Amino acid sequence: MSLDHAILGFLSEKPITGYDLKTRCFDETASHFWTADQAQVYRTLERLENRKFVRPRLERQHSRPDRKVYSATPAGISELHRWITSGGPAPPLRDPFLIRLRFAEGVSDDELLGLLGERRQEMQARLESLRTQTARPLPADAQLSAILERLTLDAAIAHARSSIDWLDDCTETLLSRREPDSFSRSGDSRPLPPLGEKGGQER
Amino acid sequence: MSLDHAILGFLSEKPITGYDLKTRCFDETASHFWTADQAQVYRTLERLENRKFVRPRLERQHSRPDRKVYSATPAGISELHRWITSGGPAPPLRDPFLIRLRFAEGVSDDELLGLLGERRQEMQARLESLRTQTARPLPADAQLSAILERLTLDAAIAHARSSIDWLDDCTETLLSRREPDSFSRSGDSRPLPPLGEKGGQER
DNA sequence: CGCATATACTGGTCTTGTCATATATGCTCA
DNA sequence: TGAGCATATATGACAAGACCAGTATATGCG
C-alpha cells in the first residue's frame, strides 16, 4: 500500500510518466528510502487510475515513443493526506544477515569476519553515496520540501552509520575472542563491555 | 527464503515443534530480528520436510494434543551452512514513515510533530524492551552462540537508538523553522548544521 | 456445563515485491 | 547496417509475507 502513496506523493508535486517514476524517482531521488521495479510501478499506476486517484494524459512525441504523463487528482491528493496523517507502526527489523550471524556457530571465524567485511563495505558505499547527496548544506531559508527531503537522507545516513558501527563492534568482539588480551588470559571472568553503547565515529 | 534458514538454524540447535518455533522463537527470542506467523511457519516446515532438510517425529502427549517435534537433517544443516556463507546484499531501506515525512508538506506542523512523537514513543518502547534483554552482561568466557545472539540484540538496539536520534533531529529541525533564533531573524543565510552528524545520547 | 485459554495444526486468500518476457520507437557508432 | 542502448509501456508467473478462518484436544474456572 505504501507504493501507492509514494507515487501519489510524487504526482502531487508535478506530473510524471511511469518511466520517469521508475528511473528518476525510485532509482534515484527516493532510492534511499523506497524502491520499486518497473512492473510494480505500471501496475500501481493502473490501480490508482482505476480508483480515480491519478489521471493520465497521452503525450505525443516525435523523436521518442509516445508517453503517458500522470497527475494526481484532487481525490488522490486527499487520500495521500489521509494516509500521511494516519500514521502506522514501524516495520519489524528484518535482515537475513542477522539470521546468518545468529546461526553462524558452525562457520569459521575467517568466513564470518569475511561476511562482516562484505556487509561493511556495502554499507560504507551507501554512506558515501548518501554523503555526496548531502554535501551541500541547505540555506537557512530553505523550502519545507527541501528540508523534508534532507531529513529522509539523514535517516538513511543514520541507518548506514549505525550499521557500520555495529559491524565494527561485531568484528572487534569476534577478534577479541580469538586473541584475548593478557589480562583475560589470566582466567578471570571479567565481563565484556556492552556492545552498541559506543559513540559513533566519523567514517 | 530466509525463514527457511531461520527455522533450520533453530532446529540445528535442538529439536522444536512448529508451535514452539512460532511462540518461543519468532515471538520471543528472535523477534528482534525476524518474525513469522503461525501459518507461515507450518507451511515452511512442510516445504523443508519435502526437501528432506527437516524430519518430524510424532510425540504422543497425554495431557495435551499430540505434537510433531522437528529436527534438522544432515542435508538441512549443510544447506544452512551453504546459505550462511553465501552472503547477500543488505535489504534496501523501506519504511512507510519516510514516505509520509517526504510528502508531508501539506500537513500541519502539529500533525507532523505528532507523527514524529508517536514513532519516537514506539522506538523508545522497543529500546527499553531490548535493554531489559541485555541488562545482564555476558561473562568473558561466554559460548559463541550466546555472543552471536547478543550481537543480534545489539543490532536491534543500535537500530532503535539511531532511529530515536534521527527523530529528535527531525523534531528540532521543524521546531527551529517555526521559531528561528534571533540571529536567523536578522535575515542572513547561515546554513543549518548537517543533521545526523550529532553524537548519540543516552536515553 | 459453558466459556475462555492454551496447545497444536491446516486451508484459503490477498498483498507486495521480484523475475522474466514482450513490443515499439529512435539514436549512436563501429 | 545491425548491435546496443535509451526511452516507453505492458503482461505473465511466482515467491514471501500477512491476514483470516477453521478444526481438534485439553485445562481451568465460575
Coordinates of all heavy atoms in Angstrom, one line a residue, chain B residues 19 38-39 42-43 61 65 67-68 94, chain C residues 6-13 17-18:
Chain B
Y19 N 4.7 -25.3 16.9 CA 4.1 -24.4 17.8 C 5.1 -23.6 18.6 O 5.0 -22.3 18.7 CB 3.2 -25.2 18.8 CG 2.5 -24.3 19.7 CD1 1.3 -23.6 19.4 CD2 2.9 -24.1 21.0 CE1 0.6 -22.9 20.3 CE2 2.2 -23.3 21.9 CZ 1.1 -22.7 21.6 OH 0.4 -21.9 22.4
Q38 N 2.0 -18.0 12.3 CA 1.8 -19.4 12.5 C 1.6 -20.2 11.2 O 2.3 -21.3 11.0 CB 0.6 -19.6 13.4 CG 0.4 -21.0 14.0 CD -0.7 -21.0 15.0 OE1 -1.8 -20.5 14.7 NE2 -0.5 -21.6 16.1
A39 N 0.8 -19.7 10.4 CA 0.5 -20.4 9.1 C 1.8 -20.5 8.3 O 2.1 -21.6 7.7 CB -0.6 -19.6 8.3
Y42 N 4.2 -23.3 9.7 CA 3.8 -24.6 9.4 C 4.1 -24.9 7.9 O 4.5 -26.0 7.5 CB 2.4 -24.9 9.8 CG 2.3 -25.1 11.3 CD1 1.7 -24.1 12.1 CD2 2.7 -26.3 11.9 CE1 1.6 -24.3 13.5 CE2 2.6 -26.5 13.2 CZ 2.1 -25.5 14.0 OH 2.0 -25.7 15.4
R43 N 3.8 -24.0 7.0 CA 4.0 -24.2 5.6 C 5.4 -24.3 5.3 O 5.8 -25.1 4.4 CB 3.3 -23.0 4.8 CG 1.9 -23.3 4.4 CD 1.4 -22.4 3.4 NE 0.6 -21.3 4.0 CZ -0.7 -21.4 4.1 NH1 -1.4 -22.4 3.7 NH2 -1.4 -20.4 4.7
Q61 N 1.2 -37.1 23.6 CA 1.1 -36.5 24.9 C -0.2 -36.9 25.5 O -1.2 -37.1 24.8 CB 1.1 -35.0 24.7 CG 2.5 -34.4 24.1 CD 2.6 -32.9 24.3 OE1 3.6 -32.5 24.8 NE2 1.6 -32.2 23.8
P65 N -2.7 -32.1 23.3 CA -2.7 -32.8 22.0 C -1.4 -33.3 21.5 O -0.3 -32.7 21.9 CB -3.2 -31.7 21.0 CG -3.7 -30.6 21.9 CD -3.0 -30.7 23.2
R67 N 1.9 -33.9 19.2 CA 2.6 -32.8 18.5 C 3.8 -33.4 17.7 O 4.2 -34.5 17.9 CB 3.2 -31.8 19.5 CG 4.2 -32.4 20.5 CD 4.6 -31.3 21.5 NE 5.8 -31.8 22.3 CZ 6.5 -31.0 23.1 NH1 6.1 -29.8 23.3 NH2 7.5 -31.5 23.8
K68 N 4.2 -32.6 16.7 CA 5.3 -33.0 15.9 C 6.6 -32.3 16.3 O 6.6 -31.0 16.3 CB 5.1 -32.7 14.4 CG 4.1 -33.6 13.7 CD 3.9 -33.0 12.3 CE 3.1 -34.0 11.5 NZ 2.7 -33.4 10.1
R94 N 13.3 0.7 3.8 CA 12.0 0.7 3.3 C 11.0 0.8 4.5 O 10.7 -0.1 5.2 CB 11.7 -0.7 2.6 CG 10.5 -0.7 1.7 CD 10.2 -2.1 1.2 NE 11.2 -2.5 0.3 CZ 11.1 -2.2 -1.0 NH1 10.2 -1.5 -1.5 NH2 12.1 -2.6 -1.8
Chain C
dA6 P -3.9 -17.8 26.9 OP1 -2.9 -17.0 27.8 OP2 -4.2 -17.3 25.6 O5' -3.3 -19.2 26.8 C5' -3.2 -20.0 28.0 C4' -2.8 -21.4 27.6 O4' -3.9 -22.1 27.0 C3' -1.7 -21.5 26.5 O3' -0.7 -22.4 26.9 C2' -2.4 -22.1 25.2 C1' -3.6 -22.8 25.9 N9 -4.8 -22.9 25.0 C8 -5.5 -21.9 24.5 N7 -6.5 -22.3 23.7 C5 -6.4 -23.7 23.8 C6 -7.2 -24.7 23.2 N6 -8.3 -24.5 22.4 N1 -6.9 -26.0 23.4 C2 -5.8 -26.2 24.2 N3 -5.0 -25.4 24.8 C4 -5.4 -24.1 24.6
dT7 P 0.6 -22.6 26.0 OP1 1.7 -23.0 26.9 OP2 0.8 -21.5 25.1 O5' 0.3 -23.9 25.1 C5' 0.0 -25.1 25.8 C4' -0.5 -26.2 24.8 O4' -1.8 -25.8 24.2 C3' 0.5 -26.4 23.6 O3' 0.8 -27.7 23.5 C2' -0.4 -25.9 22.4 C1' -1.8 -26.2 22.8 N1 -2.8 -25.4 22.1 C2 -3.8 -26.1 21.5 O2 -3.9 -27.3 21.6 N3 -4.8 -25.3 20.9 C4 -4.8 -23.9 20.8 O4 -5.7 -23.4 20.3 C5 -3.7 -23.3 21.5 C7 -3.6 -21.8 21.5 C6 -2.8 -24.0 22.1
dA8 P 2.0 -28.2 22.6 OP1 2.3 -29.6 23.0 OP2 3.0 -27.2 22.6 O5' 1.3 -28.2 21.1 C5' 0.5 -29.3 20.7 C4' -0.1 -29.1 19.4 O4' -1.2 -28.2 19.4 C3' 0.8 -28.6 18.3 O3' 1.3 -29.6 17.5 C2' 0.0 -27.6 17.5 C1' -1.4 -27.8 18.1 N9 -2.3 -26.6 18.0 C8 -2.0 -25.4 18.6 N7 -3.0 -24.6 18.3 C5 -3.9 -25.3 17.6 C6 -5.2 -24.9 17.0 N6 -5.7 -23.7 17.1 N1 -5.8 -25.9 16.3 C2 -5.3 -27.1 16.2 N3 -4.1 -27.5 16.7 C4 -3.5 -26.6 17.4
dC9 P 2.2 -29.3 16.2 OP1 2.9 -30.5 15.9 OP2 2.9 -28.0 16.3 O5' 1.1 -29.1 15.0 C5' 0.2 -30.1 14.8 C4' -0.9 -29.7 13.8 O4' -1.6 -28.6 14.3 C3' -0.3 -29.2 12.4 O3' -0.7 -30.2 11.4 C2' -1.0 -27.9 12.2 C1' -2.2 -27.9 13.2 N1 -2.5 -26.5 13.6 C2 -3.7 -26.0 13.2 O2 -4.5 -26.7 12.5 N3 -4.1 -24.7 13.6 C4 -3.2 -24.0 14.4 N4 -3.6 -22.8 14.7 C5 -2.0 -24.5 14.8 C6 -1.7 -25.8 14.4
dT10 P -0.1 -29.9 9.9 OP1 0.0 -31.3 9.4 OP2 1.0 -29.0 9.9 O5' -1.4 -29.2 9.2 C5' -2.6 -29.8 9.3 C4' -3.6 -28.9 8.5 O4' -3.9 -27.7 9.3 C3' -3.2 -28.4 7.2 O3' -4.1 -28.9 6.2 C2' -3.2 -26.9 7.3 C1' -4.1 -26.6 8.4 N1 -3.8 -25.4 9.1 C2 -4.8 -24.4 9.2 O2 -5.9 -24.5 8.6 N3 -4.5 -23.3 9.9 C4 -3.3 -23.1 10.5 O4 -3.1 -22.0 11.1 C5 -2.3 -24.1 10.5 C7 -1.0 -24.0 11.2 C6 -2.6 -25.2 9.8
dG11 P -3.8 -28.6 4.6 OP1 -4.2 -29.9 3.9 OP2 -2.5 -28.1 4.5 O5' -4.9 -27.5 4.3 C5' -6.2 -27.6 4.7 C4' -7.0 -26.4 4.2 O4' -6.9 -25.3 5.1 C3' -6.6 -25.9 2.9 O3' -7.8 -25.7 2.1 C2' -5.9 -24.6 3.1 C1' -6.5 -24.2 4.4 N9 -5.6 -23.4 5.2 C8 -4.4 -23.7 5.7 N7 -3.8 -22.8 6.4 C5 -4.7 -21.8 6.5 C6 -4.6 -20.6 7.1 O6 -3.7 -20.1 7.8 N1 -5.8 -19.8 7.0 C2 -6.9 -20.2 6.3 N2 -7.9 -19.4 6.2 N3 -7.0 -21.4 5.6 C4 -5.9 -22.1 5.8
dG12 P -7.7 -25.3 0.5 OP1 -8.8 -26.0 -0.2 OP2 -6.3 -25.4 0.1 O5' -8.0 -23.7 0.6 C5' -9.2 -23.3 1.3 C4' -9.2 -21.8 1.3 O4' -8.3 -21.3 2.3 C3' -8.8 -21.2 0.0 O3' -9.9 -20.3 -0.5 C2' -7.5 -20.4 0.3 C1' -7.7 -20.1 1.8 N9 -6.4 -20.0 2.5 C8 -5.4 -20.9 2.5 N7 -4.3 -20.5 3.2 C5 -4.7 -19.3 3.6 C6 -4.0 -18.4 4.5 O6 -2.8 -18.5 4.9 N1 -4.7 -17.2 4.7 C2 -6.0 -17.0 4.3 N2 -6.5 -15.8 4.6 N3 -6.6 -17.8 3.5 C4 -5.9 -19.0 3.2
dT13 P -9.8 -19.6 -1.9 OP1 -11.2 -19.5 -2.4 OP2 -8.7 -20.3 -2.7 O5' -9.2 -18.2 -1.6 C5' -9.8 -17.5 -0.5 C4' -9.1 -16.2 -0.2 O4' -7.9 -16.5 0.5 C3' -8.6 -15.5 -1.5 O3' -9.1 -14.2 -1.5 C2' -7.1 -15.5 -1.4 C1' -6.8 -15.7 0.1 N1 -5.5 -16.3 0.5 C2 -4.7 -15.6 1.4 O2 -5.0 -14.5 1.9 N3 -3.6 -16.2 1.7 C4 -3.1 -17.4 1.2 O4 -2.0 -17.9 1.5 C5 -4.0 -18.1 0.3 C7 -3.6 -19.4 -0.3 C6 -5.2 -17.5 0.0
dG17 P 6.0 -3.3 -1.9 OP1 6.7 -2.5 -0.8 OP2 5.3 -2.6 -2.9 O5' 7.0 -4.3 -2.5 C5' 7.6 -5.3 -1.7 C4' 8.3 -6.3 -2.5 O4' 7.3 -7.2 -3.2 C3' 9.2 -5.8 -3.6 O3' 10.4 -6.3 -3.5 C2' 8.5 -6.2 -4.9 C1' 7.7 -7.5 -4.5 N9 6.5 -7.8 -5.3 C8 5.5 -7.0 -5.5 N7 4.6 -7.6 -6.3 C5 5.1 -8.9 -6.5 C6 4.5 -9.9 -7.2 O6 3.5 -10.0 -7.9 N1 5.4 -11.0 -7.2 C2 6.6 -11.1 -6.5 N2 7.2 -12.3 -6.6 N3 7.1 -10.1 -5.8 C4 6.3 -9.0 -5.9
dT18 P 11.6 -5.9 -4.5 OP1 12.9 -5.9 -3.7 OP2 11.2 -4.8 -5.4 O5' 11.7 -7.2 -5.5 C5' 11.7 -8.5 -4.8 C4' 11.8 -9.6 -5.9 O4' 10.5 -9.8 -6.5 C3' 12.7 -9.3 -7.1 O3' 13.6 -10.4 -7.2 C2' 11.8 -9.1 -8.3 C1' 10.6 -9.9 -7.9 N1 9.3 -9.5 -8.5 C2 8.6 -10.5 -9.2 O2 9.0 -11.6 -9.3 N3 7.4 -10.0 -9.7 C4 6.9 -8.8 -9.6 O4 5.8 -8.5 -10.1 C5 7.7 -7.8 -8.8 C7 7.2 -6.4 -8.6 C6 8.9 -8.3 -8.3

